[in-house]
Amino acid sequence: MAIVLSIQHLPKMTLNPIAVLNEPRKTRVPYELKQGQSRVFHQLPSGLNMEVIVQKSVKEKNPESRKDPPLVFVHGSYHSAWCWAEHWLPFFSNSGFDCFALSLLGQGESDTPSGTVAGSLQTHAGDVADFIKRNLSLPPVLLGHSFGGLIIQYYLANMRNELHYGAALICSVPPSGNSGLVWRYLFSKPIAAFKVTRSLAAKAFQTSLSLCRETFFSATMEDNLVLRYQELMKESSRVPLFDLRKLNESLPVPKMTACSTEILVLGAKDDFIVDAEGLNETGRFYNVTPICIEGVAHDMMLDCSWGEGANVILSWLNGLNR
């Protein structure tokens, strides 16, 4: 069973392989950065560049105190680094953490590889690992949303020589993938199954404001915000993250080997994509009790009550190894 939370309220590092590039924008609706944020590019071994939105801690740090781990954010389908930059990067940098939001290949301002999809579970996890290995001097905490959570799960299970402090899986696709979610919807909520398929597979969320809201956001989200995020999502993904058929052949993700990585499994009560059983599956897989927040939808980091999930994660971060 998930713990349900009701809404009551709303070391400085050097990035050697990263360079700021004056490239033409790849998206027709560019995301304008907030104060304190910078857009840089990490060059992967393939030669392709991966967009990173950076926001460093604004807190003065005592050299004698324990250094907080850097936070690395990984988005899901139809999103890119901007989805974290809107609210959560400012929130966590104000709380003392250096923040790095990645745009996976083929998404946002990152380069697009040849082929019809952006990559595989293996290649995306490898790109995340390359960024961490070459740029961060401290083991990070990884935060992944939706399919980004699945990428982090693969990273944790397979990048055994990589150091990581912890991981937060946010409205994450469970270890077995999304096929179980689809079948449960077909049998228990056929209308919802049709809407999800139409919204995501047929990309109808891009043209229907009401369907975009129902898929990603709370019913109370203002039209102007839904429209703004809809326009950004339209431009965020030039090619699909995965070939879903090949993805399902590589699942479930393996179990983590014995390690001290702390895992937070966080879900949203009003999630239209990942159901309660999907959330509980992820919790069982990592032997943790998931937390489910009421009154929040799938895009927890952008939703009206974005602060609810952020505060749960901050409390968890502050309790790591203390």
Side-chain angles (χ1 to χ4, degrees), residues 10 24 36-37 54 66 71 119 146 149-150 152 163 166 216 242 264 275:
L10 262 184
Q37 295 177 350
V54 180
R66 186 181 71 90
L71 307 183
S146 199
L150 190 64
I152 286 177
L163 294 176
F216 297 107
F242 308 103
L264 172 67
D275 63 2

Side-chain angles (χ1 to χ4, degrees), residues 50-70:
M50 184 166 65
E51 177 191 23
V52 186
I53 297 180
V54 180
Q55 189 160 9
K56 295 295 192 71
S57 168
V58 299
K59 281 191 172 182
E60 291 291 331
K61 296 182 180 179
N62 183 344
E64 304 300 320
S65 65
R66 186 181 71 90
K67 294 180 180 178
D68 288 317

Side-chain angles (χ1 to χ4, degrees), residues 250-297:
S250 68
L251 296 173
V253 295
K255 283 276 192 181
M256 284 194 307
T257 55
C259 69
S260 58
T261 302
E262 299 282 348
I263 304 291
L264 172 67
V265 177
L266 185 61
K269 185 72 172 177
D270 296 337
D271 196 328
F272 195 62
I273 297 172
V274 179
D275 63 2
E277 177 52 33
L279 177 65
N280 288 325
E281 178 195 328
T282 306
R284 288 193 300 269
F285 190 82
Y286 292 103
N287 197 30
V288 299
T289 301
I291 296 174
C292 186
I293 304 177
E294 288 189 347
V296 180

Side-chain angles (χ1 to χ4, degrees), residues 106-128:
Q107 323 299 307
E109 297 295 337
S110 291
D111 288 344
T112 302
S114 59
T116 57
V117 296
S120 65
L121 205 54
Q122 294 86 347
T123 63
H124 288 310
D127 291 345
V128 173

Side-chain angles (χ1 to χ4, degrees), residues 224-261:
N224 65 312
L225 283 177
V226 178
L227 181 62
R228 177 167 177 259
Y229 297 148
Q230 181 188 48
E231 291 298 316
L232 286 165
M233 283 189 280
K234 283 181 190 177
E235 292 294 316
S236 288
S237 183
R238 293 180 298 285
V239 292
L241 277 181
F242 308 103
D243 178 324
L244 290 179
R245 184 175 298 176
K246 291 181 179 179
L247 173 68
N248 287 326
E249 291 172 356
S250 68
L251 296 173
V253 295
K255 283 276 192 181
M256 284 194 307
T257 55
C259 69
S260 58
T261 302

Side-chain angles (χ1 to χ4, degrees), residues 12-163:
K12 195 165 183 178
M13 289 166 279
T14 302
L15 304 179
N16 294 322
I18 286 184
V20 179
L21 302 181
N22 295 317
E23 294 185 333
R25 289 287 178 85
K26 296 181 174 63
T27 55
R28 291 173 295 179
V29 184
Y31 180 79
E32 299 301 327
L33 300 181
K34 297 182 180 296
Q35 183 176 0
Q37 295 177 350
S38 59
R39 177 181 283 109
V40 296
F41 291 84
H42 169 72
Q43 188 173 69
L44 296 164
S46 64
L48 297 176
N49 290 312
M50 184 166 65
E51 177 191 23
V52 186
I53 297 180
V54 180
Q55 189 160 9
K56 295 295 192 71
S57 168
V58 299
K59 281 191 172 182
E60 291 291 331
K61 296 182 180 179
N62 183 344
E64 304 300 320
S65 65
R66 186 181 71 90
K67 294 180 180 178
D68 288 317
L71 307 183
V72 176
F73 298 81
V74 182
H75 63 84
S77 295
Y78 303 116
H79 292 65
S80 61
W82 67 266
C83 72
W84 306 105
E86 183 78 348
H87 299 299
W88 280 20
L89 293 197
F91 176 87
F92 286 108
S93 69
N94 284 330
S95 300
F97 295 90
D98 292 331
C99 300
F100 305 86
L102 312 183
S103 288
L104 300 168
L105 290 181
Q107 323 299 307
E109 297 295 337
S110 291
D111 288 344
T112 302
S114 59
T116 57
V117 296
S120 65
L121 205 54
Q122 294 86 347
T123 63
H124 288 310
D127 291 345
V128 173
D130 186 74
F131 169 79
I132 292 170
K133 183 177 181 179
R134 295 172 62 197
N135 294 290
L136 304 185
S137 60
L138 293 173
V141 171
L142 299 114
L143 299 93
H145 176 253
S146 199
F147 267 118
L150 190 64
I151 291 168
I152 286 177
Q153 292 175 57
Y154 185 89
Y155 172 96
L156 294 174
N158 290 277
M159 308 298 171
R160 295 184 177 89
N161 295 324
E162 306 295 332
L163 294 176

